[in-house]
Amino acid sequence: MENQVPVTSMAGMLFSLIVSVGLPIVLCMVIRIRTKAKFSSFLIGCGTFFISAMVLEQILHVIVLNAAGDILRGNIWIYGLYGGVAAAVFEETGRFLAMKYFMKRISGCENALMYGAGHGGIEAALIVGLVSVNNLVTSFMINTGQINQVLSALDENTRNMTMQQISALWELPGWQFYMAGVERILAVGLQIALSVLVYYAVKSGDKRYFMLALFSHFFVNFITAVAASFVSVAAVECLVAVMSVAVGGIAWKVCLNEKGAIERI
């Protein structure tokens, strides 16, 4: 194979890997040191995301996409609507139940922040971290010629499909591989903000905060999915940044209203 993966692209993959794995760890340490939040909140966030999004939601996707996959994939608006609703319902319901039943004795906005770091952190590690590792290993094999041995062992159809999949590694501009890391920074921030809103919904009993988190999660996912078909990756990330900052501003006000929380941050 004559194609080579540019160093700039591999640097972008490494950047996204470091962000997706390192950011959650750094956030956990900073929140713990600055606020004395419980580490168990972080673990609960990790576990809740895995069960709600990686297990239960995926079961739904298998059922729905097998039954109506062509209809959904054929219309970006319907697909975005379905994906946004599914992600919002499963993750926010899981977040609400986890805070209500597993964090009964863990109060304070600081623990909502710690939970969000875990929820968003494990999402980053599983979704972007693993992909970045795979991309880096594949890129190394391409650049050293080892990929030829792998391809030669495959039948023609499988080899052609594999070539189509890995061709993006050298065809895409290098800067696009950085975008995965940038997107995860924004996503983790959003997950923390949503966790604060749901925490306050549980603590105050005011379900409007839960509905706000539910709608915000849906809206961000829906807009992101639809916009990706019409504008550039950079433009999509700008949209995500604006929406994340907006939700984060609301969550910050909620933390301000939490007695004494702001003094511990």
Short mmCIF file of all heavy atoms in Angstrom, two decimals, residues 99-166:
data_model
loop_
_atom_site.label_atom_id
_atom_site.label_comp_id
_atom_site.label_asym_id
_atom_site.label_seq_id
_atom_site.Cartn_x
_atom_site.Cartn_y
_atom_site.Cartn_z
N MET A 99 -29.29 9.53 40.78
CA MET A 99 -29.20 10.56 41.81
C MET A 99 -30.27 10.39 42.89
O MET A 99 -30.03 10.70 44.06
CB MET A 99 -29.31 11.94 41.17
CG MET A 99 -28.10 12.31 40.33
SD MET A 99 -28.19 13.99 39.69
CE MET A 99 -26.56 14.14 38.95
N LYS A 100 -31.41 9.89 42.49
CA LYS A 100 -32.50 9.73 43.44
C LYS A 100 -32.29 8.54 44.38
O LYS A 100 -32.58 8.61 45.57
CB LYS A 100 -33.82 9.54 42.68
CG LYS A 100 -35.06 9.48 43.57
CD LYS A 100 -36.31 9.38 42.74
CE LYS A 100 -37.57 9.27 43.59
NZ LYS A 100 -37.83 10.49 44.35
N TYR A 101 -31.75 7.45 43.83
CA TYR A 101 -31.66 6.23 44.64
C TYR A 101 -30.24 5.84 45.06
O TYR A 101 -30.07 5.14 46.05
CB TYR A 101 -32.29 5.06 43.87
CG TYR A 101 -33.77 5.26 43.64
CD1 TYR A 101 -34.27 5.58 42.38
CD2 TYR A 101 -34.68 5.13 44.70
CE1 TYR A 101 -35.63 5.78 42.17
CE2 TYR A 101 -36.04 5.32 44.50
CZ TYR A 101 -36.51 5.64 43.24
OH TYR A 101 -37.86 5.84 43.04
N PHE A 102 -29.24 6.26 44.30
CA PHE A 102 -27.87 5.87 44.64
C PHE A 102 -27.05 7.01 45.24
O PHE A 102 -25.95 6.79 45.73
CB PHE A 102 -27.15 5.32 43.41
CG PHE A 102 -27.72 4.03 42.90
CD1 PHE A 102 -28.62 4.02 41.85
CD2 PHE A 102 -27.39 2.83 43.50
CE1 PHE A 102 -29.16 2.84 41.38
CE2 PHE A 102 -27.92 1.64 43.05
CZ PHE A 102 -28.82 1.64 41.98
N MET A 103 -27.60 8.23 45.17
CA MET A 103 -26.90 9.37 45.75
C MET A 103 -27.77 10.06 46.80
O MET A 103 -27.68 11.28 47.01
CB MET A 103 -26.50 10.35 44.64
CG MET A 103 -25.48 9.78 43.68
SD MET A 103 -25.02 10.93 42.33
CE MET A 103 -24.25 12.26 43.25
N LYS A 104 -28.62 9.28 47.46
CA LYS A 104 -29.51 9.84 48.49
C LYS A 104 -28.74 10.60 49.56
O LYS A 104 -29.15 11.67 50.00
CB LYS A 104 -30.30 8.71 49.17
CG LYS A 104 -31.47 8.19 48.37
CD LYS A 104 -32.18 7.12 49.21
CE LYS A 104 -33.38 6.57 48.47
NZ LYS A 104 -34.08 5.53 49.29
N ARG A 105 -27.64 10.01 49.99
CA ARG A 105 -26.88 10.59 51.09
C ARG A 105 -25.68 11.40 50.60
O ARG A 105 -24.82 11.77 51.40
CB ARG A 105 -26.41 9.47 52.02
CG ARG A 105 -27.58 8.67 52.61
CD ARG A 105 -27.09 7.48 53.39
NE ARG A 105 -28.20 6.67 53.88
CZ ARG A 105 -28.07 5.51 54.51
NH1 ARG A 105 -26.85 5.02 54.74
NH2 ARG A 105 -29.13 4.83 54.92
N ILE A 106 -25.61 11.61 49.30
CA ILE A 106 -24.52 12.39 48.74
C ILE A 106 -25.11 13.68 48.18
O ILE A 106 -25.61 13.71 47.06
CB ILE A 106 -23.79 11.62 47.62
CG1 ILE A 106 -23.35 10.25 48.12
CG2 ILE A 106 -22.59 12.42 47.13
CD1 ILE A 106 -22.70 9.39 47.05
N SER A 107 -25.08 14.73 48.95
CA SER A 107 -25.71 15.98 48.54
C SER A 107 -24.66 17.01 48.13
O SER A 107 -23.46 16.79 48.29
CB SER A 107 -26.58 16.53 49.67
OG SER A 107 -25.77 16.82 50.81
N GLY A 108 -25.13 18.13 47.62
CA GLY A 108 -24.24 19.22 47.27
C GLY A 108 -23.99 19.30 45.78
O GLY A 108 -23.86 18.28 45.10
N CYS A 109 -23.92 20.51 45.28
CA CYS A 109 -23.68 20.74 43.86
C CYS A 109 -22.33 20.15 43.44
O CYS A 109 -22.16 19.74 42.30
CB CYS A 109 -23.72 22.24 43.58
SG CYS A 109 -23.80 22.66 41.84
N GLU A 110 -21.38 20.12 44.37
CA GLU A 110 -20.07 19.59 44.04
C GLU A 110 -20.13 18.12 43.63
O GLU A 110 -19.38 17.66 42.76
CB GLU A 110 -19.09 19.77 45.20
CG GLU A 110 -19.43 18.98 46.46
CD GLU A 110 -20.35 19.74 47.40
OE1 GLU A 110 -21.02 20.69 46.95
OE2 GLU A 110 -20.41 19.37 48.58
N ASN A 111 -21.05 17.37 44.25
CA ASN A 111 -21.19 15.96 43.87
C ASN A 111 -21.93 15.79 42.56
O ASN A 111 -21.73 14.80 41.86
CB ASN A 111 -21.89 15.20 45.00
CG ASN A 111 -20.95 14.92 46.16
OD1 ASN A 111 -19.96 14.20 46.02
ND2 ASN A 111 -21.23 15.52 47.31
N ALA A 112 -22.76 16.76 42.22
CA ALA A 112 -23.39 16.75 40.89
C ALA A 112 -22.31 16.98 39.83
O ALA A 112 -22.33 16.36 38.76
CB ALA A 112 -24.46 17.83 40.81
N LEU A 113 -21.37 17.88 40.12
CA LEU A 113 -20.25 18.13 39.20
C LEU A 113 -19.40 16.86 39.05
O LEU A 113 -19.00 16.50 37.93
CB LEU A 113 -19.38 19.26 39.72
CG LEU A 113 -20.03 20.64 39.86
CD1 LEU A 113 -19.04 21.62 40.47
CD2 LEU A 113 -20.51 21.15 38.52
N MET A 114 -19.14 16.20 40.17
CA MET A 114 -18.33 14.98 40.13
C MET A 114 -19.05 13.88 39.36
O MET A 114 -18.43 13.15 38.57
CB MET A 114 -18.02 14.51 41.56
CG MET A 114 -17.12 13.29 41.62
SD MET A 114 -15.43 13.64 41.07
CE MET A 114 -14.64 13.99 42.65
N TYR A 115 -20.36 13.77 39.58
CA TYR A 115 -21.15 12.79 38.83
C TYR A 115 -21.05 13.07 37.33
O TYR A 115 -20.85 12.17 36.52
CB TYR A 115 -22.62 12.83 39.26
CG TYR A 115 -23.50 11.96 38.39
CD1 TYR A 115 -23.85 10.68 38.79
CD2 TYR A 115 -23.99 12.43 37.17
CE1 TYR A 115 -24.64 9.88 37.98
CE2 TYR A 115 -24.77 11.64 36.35
CZ TYR A 115 -25.10 10.37 36.76
OH TYR A 115 -25.87 9.58 35.95
N GLY A 116 -21.21 14.35 36.96
CA GLY A 116 -21.15 14.73 35.55
C GLY A 116 -19.81 14.42 34.92
O GLY A 116 -19.73 14.02 33.76
N ALA A 117 -18.74 14.62 35.69
CA ALA A 117 -17.40 14.29 35.19
C ALA A 117 -17.28 12.80 34.90
O ALA A 117 -16.64 12.40 33.92
CB ALA A 117 -16.34 14.73 36.20
N GLY A 118 -17.90 11.98 35.74
CA GLY A 118 -17.88 10.54 35.51
C GLY A 118 -18.75 10.15 34.33
O GLY A 118 -18.34 9.35 33.48
N HIS A 119 -19.94 10.71 34.26
CA HIS A 119 -20.89 10.40 33.18
C HIS A 119 -20.30 10.80 31.83
O HIS A 119 -20.25 9.99 30.89
CB HIS A 119 -22.20 11.16 33.43
CG HIS A 119 -23.33 10.74 32.56
ND1 HIS A 119 -24.48 10.16 33.04
CD2 HIS A 119 -23.50 10.82 31.21
CE1 HIS A 119 -25.30 9.92 32.04
NE2 HIS A 119 -24.73 10.31 30.91
N GLY A 120 -19.83 12.04 31.73
CA GLY A 120 -19.24 12.50 30.48
C GLY A 120 -17.87 11.91 30.22
O GLY A 120 -17.48 11.71 29.07
N GLY A 121 -17.15 11.62 31.30
CA GLY A 121 -15.80 11.09 31.16
C GLY A 121 -15.76 9.70 30.57
O GLY A 121 -14.97 9.41 29.66
N ILE A 122 -16.62 8.82 31.08
CA ILE A 122 -16.62 7.45 30.56
C ILE A 122 -17.16 7.43 29.14
O ILE A 122 -16.74 6.62 28.31
CB ILE A 122 -17.46 6.52 31.48
CG1 ILE A 122 -17.20 5.05 31.13
CG2 ILE A 122 -18.94 6.83 31.39
CD1 ILE A 122 -15.80 4.60 31.43
N GLU A 123 -18.06 8.36 28.83
CA GLU A 123 -18.55 8.49 27.45
C GLU A 123 -17.40 8.85 26.52
O GLU A 123 -17.25 8.27 25.43
CB GLU A 123 -19.64 9.56 27.38
CG GLU A 123 -20.18 9.79 25.98
CD GLU A 123 -21.18 10.93 25.92
OE1 GLU A 123 -21.01 11.91 26.67
OE2 GLU A 123 -22.10 10.85 25.10
N ALA A 124 -16.58 9.81 26.94
CA ALA A 124 -15.44 10.23 26.12
C ALA A 124 -14.45 9.09 25.92
O ALA A 124 -13.96 8.85 24.81
CB ALA A 124 -14.74 11.42 26.78
N ALA A 125 -14.16 8.37 27.00
CA ALA A 125 -13.18 7.28 26.92
C ALA A 125 -13.67 6.15 26.03
O ALA A 125 -12.90 5.60 25.23
CB ALA A 125 -12.88 6.76 28.33
N LEU A 126 -14.95 5.81 26.14
CA LEU A 126 -15.49 4.68 25.38
C LEU A 126 -15.72 5.03 23.91
O LEU A 126 -15.47 4.21 23.02
CB LEU A 126 -16.80 4.20 26.00
CG LEU A 126 -16.70 3.54 27.38
CD1 LEU A 126 -18.08 3.20 27.91
CD2 LEU A 126 -15.85 2.28 27.30
N ILE A 127 -16.20 6.24 23.66
CA ILE A 127 -16.57 6.60 22.30
C ILE A 127 -15.38 7.13 21.50
O ILE A 127 -15.12 6.69 20.37
CB ILE A 127 -17.71 7.64 22.31
CG1 ILE A 127 -18.98 7.00 22.87
CG2 ILE A 127 -17.96 8.19 20.90
CD1 ILE A 127 -20.15 7.94 22.98
N VAL A 128 -14.65 8.07 22.05
CA VAL A 128 -13.53 8.67 21.32
C VAL A 128 -12.20 8.00 21.65
O VAL A 128 -11.37 7.79 20.78
CB VAL A 128 -13.44 10.19 21.62
CG1 VAL A 128 -12.19 10.79 21.00
CG2 VAL A 128 -14.67 10.89 21.08
N GLY A 129 -12.01 7.65 22.92
CA GLY A 129 -10.74 7.05 23.33
C GLY A 129 -10.44 5.76 22.59
O GLY A 129 -9.35 5.59 22.03
N LEU A 130 -11.40 4.85 22.55
CA LEU A 130 -11.18 3.56 21.89
C LEU A 130 -11.01 3.72 20.39
O LEU A 130 -10.18 3.04 19.77
CB LEU A 130 -12.35 2.62 22.19
CG LEU A 130 -12.50 2.18 23.66
CD1 LEU A 130 -13.70 1.25 23.82
CD2 LEU A 130 -11.23 1.48 24.14
N VAL A 131 -11.80 4.63 19.80
CA VAL A 131 -11.66 4.88 18.36
C VAL A 131 -10.29 5.46 18.04
O VAL A 131 -9.65 5.10 17.05
CB VAL A 131 -12.78 5.83 17.86
CG1 VAL A 131 -12.51 6.27 16.44
CG2 VAL A 131 -14.13 5.14 17.95
N SER A 132 -9.82 6.37 18.90
CA SER A 132 -8.51 6.99 18.67
C SER A 132 -7.39 5.96 18.77
O SER A 132 -6.44 6.00 17.97
CB SER A 132 -8.28 8.12 19.70
OG SER A 132 -9.22 9.16 19.52
N VAL A 133 -7.50 5.06 19.72
CA VAL A 133 -6.50 3.99 19.83
C VAL A 133 -6.50 3.14 18.57
O VAL A 133 -5.44 2.82 18.01
CB VAL A 133 -6.78 3.11 21.07
CG1 VAL A 133 -5.91 1.86 21.04
CG2 VAL A 133 -6.52 3.89 22.35
N ASN A 134 -7.68 2.75 18.11
CA ASN A 134 -7.80 1.94 16.91
C ASN A 134 -7.22 2.67 15.69
O ASN A 134 -6.50 2.08 14.87
CB ASN A 134 -9.26 1.59 16.66
CG ASN A 134 -9.46 0.72 15.43
OD1 ASN A 134 -9.06 -0.44 15.39
ND2 ASN A 134 -10.05 1.30 14.40
N ASN A 135 -7.53 3.97 15.58
CA ASN A 135 -7.02 4.75 14.46
C ASN A 135 -5.50 4.87 14.48
O ASN A 135 -4.83 4.79 13.44
CB ASN A 135 -7.64 6.15 14.46
CG ASN A 135 -9.07 6.16 14.01
OD1 ASN A 135 -9.55 5.20 13.40
ND2 ASN A 135 -9.79 7.23 14.32
N LEU A 136 -4.95 5.05 15.68
CA LEU A 136 -3.50 5.18 15.80
C LEU A 136 -2.80 3.87 15.45
O LEU A 136 -1.79 3.87 14.72
CB LEU A 136 -3.13 5.60 17.22
CG LEU A 136 -3.27 7.09 17.55
CD1 LEU A 136 -3.16 7.32 19.05
CD2 LEU A 136 -2.22 7.91 16.81
N VAL A 137 -3.33 2.76 15.94
CA VAL A 137 -2.73 1.45 15.64
C VAL A 137 -2.81 1.16 14.14
O VAL A 137 -1.83 0.72 13.52
CB VAL A 137 -3.43 0.34 16.45
CG1 VAL A 137 -2.95 -1.04 15.99
CG2 VAL A 137 -3.17 0.51 17.94
N THR A 138 -3.98 1.42 13.55
CA THR A 138 -4.15 1.17 12.12
C THR A 138 -3.24 2.07 11.30
O THR A 138 -2.63 1.63 10.31
CB THR A 138 -5.62 1.41 11.71
OG1 THR A 138 -6.48 0.58 12.50
CG2 THR A 138 -5.83 1.08 10.23
N SER A 139 -3.11 3.34 11.71
CA SER A 139 -2.24 4.28 11.00
C SER A 139 -0.79 3.82 11.06
O SER A 139 -0.05 3.90 10.06
CB SER A 139 -2.37 5.68 11.60
OG SER A 139 -3.68 6.18 11.45
N PHE A 140 -0.37 3.34 12.21
CA PHE A 140 1.00 2.84 12.36
C PHE A 140 1.22 1.64 11.44
O PHE A 140 2.27 1.54 10.78
CB PHE A 140 1.26 2.44 13.81
CG PHE A 140 2.62 1.85 14.05
CD1 PHE A 140 3.73 2.67 14.17
CD2 PHE A 140 2.79 0.48 14.14
CE1 PHE A 140 5.00 2.12 14.37
CE2 PHE A 140 4.04 -0.08 14.35
CZ PHE A 140 5.15 0.75 14.46
N MET A 141 0.23 0.76 11.36
CA MET A 141 0.36 -0.42 10.50
C MET A 141 0.40 -0.02 9.03
O MET A 141 1.12 -0.62 8.23
CB MET A 141 -0.81 -1.37 10.76
CG MET A 141 -0.79 -1.99 12.15
SD MET A 141 -2.23 -3.06 12.45
CE MET A 141 -1.90 -4.40 11.29
N ILE A 142 -0.36 1.00 8.66
CA ILE A 142 -0.35 1.48 7.28
C ILE A 142 1.01 2.07 6.93
O ILE A 142 1.60 1.76 5.88
CB ILE A 142 -1.45 2.55 7.06
CG1 ILE A 142 -2.83 1.90 7.15
CG2 ILE A 142 -1.28 3.25 5.72
CD1 ILE A 142 -3.98 2.89 7.17
N ASN A 143 1.52 2.91 7.80
CA ASN A 143 2.77 3.62 7.52
C ASN A 143 4.00 2.70 7.54
O ASN A 143 5.03 3.02 6.94
CB ASN A 143 2.97 4.76 8.50
CG ASN A 143 1.99 5.91 8.26
OD1 ASN A 143 1.23 5.89 7.29
ND2 ASN A 143 2.02 6.90 9.12
N THR A 144 3.88 1.58 8.25
CA THR A 144 5.02 0.64 8.31
C THR A 144 4.85 -0.53 7.35
O THR A 144 5.73 -1.41 7.28
CB THR A 144 5.18 0.09 9.74
OG1 THR A 144 3.96 -0.54 10.16
CG2 THR A 144 5.54 1.22 10.71
N GLY A 145 3.72 -0.56 6.64
CA GLY A 145 3.49 -1.63 5.67
C GLY A 145 2.91 -2.90 6.26
O GLY A 145 2.64 -3.86 5.52
N GLN A 146 2.69 -2.93 7.57
CA GLN A 146 2.16 -4.14 8.20
C GLN A 146 0.72 -4.43 7.80
O GLN A 146 0.26 -5.56 7.87
CB GLN A 146 2.26 -4.03 9.72
CG GLN A 146 3.68 -3.92 10.25
CD GLN A 146 3.71 -3.78 11.76
OE1 GLN A 146 2.99 -4.47 12.48
NE2 GLN A 146 4.55 -2.89 12.26
N ILE A 147 0.00 -3.38 7.37
CA ILE A 147 -1.40 -3.55 7.02
C ILE A 147 -1.55 -4.47 5.81
O ILE A 147 -2.58 -5.13 5.64
CB ILE A 147 -2.06 -2.18 6.73
CG1 ILE A 147 -3.58 -2.30 6.72
CG2 ILE A 147 -1.54 -1.61 5.42
CD1 ILE A 147 -4.18 -2.57 8.06
N ASN A 148 -0.52 -4.55 4.96
CA ASN A 148 -0.59 -5.39 3.77
C ASN A 148 -0.75 -6.87 4.13
O ASN A 148 -1.44 -7.62 3.44
CB ASN A 148 0.66 -5.20 2.90
CG ASN A 148 0.73 -3.80 2.32
OD1 ASN A 148 -0.29 -3.22 1.99
ND2 ASN A 148 1.94 -3.26 2.21
N GLN A 149 -0.09 -7.28 5.20
CA GLN A 149 -0.20 -8.67 5.64
C GLN A 149 -1.62 -8.98 6.10
O GLN A 149 -2.15 -10.06 5.85
CB GLN A 149 0.79 -8.93 6.77
CG GLN A 149 2.25 -8.72 6.38
CD GLN A 149 3.19 -8.90 7.55
OE1 GLN A 149 2.77 -9.29 8.65
NE2 GLN A 149 4.47 -8.60 7.35
N VAL A 150 -2.23 -8.00 6.78
CA VAL A 150 -3.60 -8.19 7.25
C VAL A 150 -4.56 -8.26 6.07
O VAL A 150 -5.43 -9.14 6.00
CB VAL A 150 -4.01 -7.04 8.19
CG1 VAL A 150 -5.47 -7.18 8.62
CG2 VAL A 150 -3.10 -7.01 9.41
N LEU A 151 -4.41 -7.34 5.11
CA LEU A 151 -5.31 -7.29 3.97
C LEU A 151 -5.18 -8.52 3.08
O LEU A 151 -6.17 -9.00 2.51
CB LEU A 151 -5.04 -6.02 3.14
CG LEU A 151 -5.35 -4.69 3.82
CD1 LEU A 151 -4.88 -3.52 2.96
CD2 LEU A 151 -6.83 -4.57 4.12
N SER A 152 -3.98 -9.04 2.95
CA SER A 152 -3.75 -10.20 2.08
C SER A 152 -4.44 -11.45 2.60
O SER A 152 -4.71 -12.38 1.83
CB SER A 152 -2.25 -10.45 1.93
OG SER A 152 -1.67 -10.78 3.19
N ALA A 153 -4.74 -11.47 3.90
CA ALA A 153 -5.39 -12.65 4.48
C ALA A 153 -6.91 -12.60 4.35
O ALA A 153 -7.60 -13.56 4.69
CB ALA A 153 -5.01 -12.76 5.96
N LEU A 154 -7.44 -11.48 3.83
CA LEU A 154 -8.89 -11.32 3.70
C LEU A 154 -9.35 -11.67 2.31
O LEU A 154 -8.60 -11.58 1.34
CB LEU A 154 -9.27 -9.86 4.01
CG LEU A 154 -8.83 -9.30 5.37
CD1 LEU A 154 -9.19 -7.82 5.46
CD2 LEU A 154 -9.48 -10.06 6.51
N ASP A 155 -10.62 -12.06 2.19
CA ASP A 155 -11.18 -12.28 0.86
C ASP A 155 -11.40 -10.94 0.17
O ASP A 155 -11.34 -9.88 0.81
CB ASP A 155 -12.51 -13.06 0.95
CG ASP A 155 -13.57 -12.32 1.75
OD1 ASP A 155 -14.12 -11.34 1.23
OD2 ASP A 155 -13.83 -12.71 2.91
N GLU A 156 -11.65 -10.95 -1.11
CA GLU A 156 -11.70 -9.72 -1.89
C GLU A 156 -12.74 -8.73 -1.40
O GLU A 156 -12.47 -7.53 -1.28
CB GLU A 156 -11.95 -10.04 -3.37
CG GLU A 156 -11.89 -8.81 -4.26
CD GLU A 156 -12.05 -9.15 -5.72
OE1 GLU A 156 -12.14 -10.36 -6.04
OE2 GLU A 156 -12.09 -8.22 -6.55
N ASN A 157 -13.97 -9.21 -1.11
CA ASN A 157 -15.04 -8.32 -0.66
C ASN A 157 -14.70 -7.66 0.66
O ASN A 157 -14.86 -6.45 0.85
CB ASN A 157 -16.36 -9.07 -0.55
CG ASN A 157 -16.93 -9.45 -1.90
OD1 ASN A 157 -16.63 -8.79 -2.90
ND2 ASN A 157 -17.73 -10.51 -1.95
N THR A 158 -14.21 -8.47 1.60
CA THR A 158 -13.85 -7.94 2.92
C THR A 158 -12.68 -6.97 2.81
O THR A 158 -12.65 -5.94 3.48
CB THR A 158 -13.48 -9.08 3.88
OG1 THR A 158 -14.56 -10.02 3.95
CG2 THR A 158 -13.20 -8.54 5.28
N ARG A 159 -11.72 -7.30 1.93
CA ARG A 159 -10.56 -6.43 1.74
C ARG A 159 -10.98 -5.08 1.18
O ARG A 159 -10.51 -4.03 1.63
CB ARG A 159 -9.56 -7.10 0.81
CG ARG A 159 -8.28 -6.27 0.62
CD ARG A 159 -7.16 -7.10 -0.02
NE ARG A 159 -7.55 -7.70 -1.28
CZ ARG A 159 -7.76 -9.00 -1.45
NH1 ARG A 159 -7.62 -9.84 -0.43
NH2 ARG A 159 -8.11 -9.49 -2.62
N ASN A 160 -11.90 -5.09 0.22
CA ASN A 160 -12.38 -3.83 -0.37
C ASN A 160 -13.13 -2.99 0.65
O ASN A 160 -12.97 -1.76 0.70
CB ASN A 160 -13.28 -4.12 -1.57
CG ASN A 160 -12.51 -4.68 -2.74
OD1 ASN A 160 -11.30 -4.47 -2.87
ND2 ASN A 160 -13.19 -5.42 -3.61
N MET A 161 -13.96 -3.64 1.47
CA MET A 161 -14.69 -2.92 2.51
C MET A 161 -13.73 -2.31 3.52
O MET A 161 -13.91 -1.18 3.97
CB MET A 161 -15.68 -3.85 3.21
CG MET A 161 -16.87 -4.28 2.35
SD MET A 161 -17.96 -5.45 3.20
CE MET A 161 -18.44 -4.48 4.62
N THR A 162 -12.71 -3.09 3.89
CA THR A 162 -11.73 -2.60 4.86
C THR A 162 -10.97 -1.41 4.30
O THR A 162 -10.72 -0.42 5.01
CB THR A 162 -10.74 -3.73 5.24
OG1 THR A 162 -11.47 -4.85 5.76
CG2 THR A 162 -9.75 -3.24 6.28
N MET A 163 -10.62 -1.49 3.03
CA MET A 163 -9.90 -0.38 2.40
C MET A 163 -10.74 0.89 2.38
O MET A 163 -10.23 1.99 2.62
CB MET A 163 -9.51 -0.77 0.97
CG MET A 163 -8.32 -1.71 0.88
SD MET A 163 -6.79 -0.92 1.45
CE MET A 163 -6.62 0.37 0.22
N GLN A 164 -12.03 0.74 2.13
CA GLN A 164 -12.92 1.89 2.12
C GLN A 164 -12.99 2.54 3.51
O GLN A 164 -13.05 3.76 3.64
CB GLN A 164 -14.31 1.49 1.66
CG GLN A 164 -14.40 1.12 0.19
CD GLN A 164 -15.78 0.68 -0.22
OE1 GLN A 164 -16.71 0.67 0.59
NE2 GLN A 164 -15.94 0.31 -1.49
N GLN A 165 -12.99 1.69 4.53
CA GLN A 165 -13.10 2.19 5.90
C GLN A 165 -11.82 2.91 6.34
O GLN A 165 -11.88 3.98 6.96
CB GLN A 165 -13.41 1.03 6.85
CG GLN A 165 -14.79 0.44 6.64
CD GLN A 165 -15.00 -0.83 7.46
OE1 GLN A 165 -14.06 -1.38 8.04
NE2 GLN A 165 -16.24 -1.30 7.51
N ILE A 166 -10.68 2.34 6.05
CA ILE A 166 -9.43 2.92 6.54
C ILE A 166 -8.91 4.04 5.64
O ILE A 166 -8.00 4.78 6.05
CB ILE A 166 -8.33 1.85 6.71
CG1 ILE A 166 -7.91 1.27 5.36
CG2 ILE A 166 -8.80 0.77 7.67
CD1 ILE A 166 -6.75 0.29 5.46
#
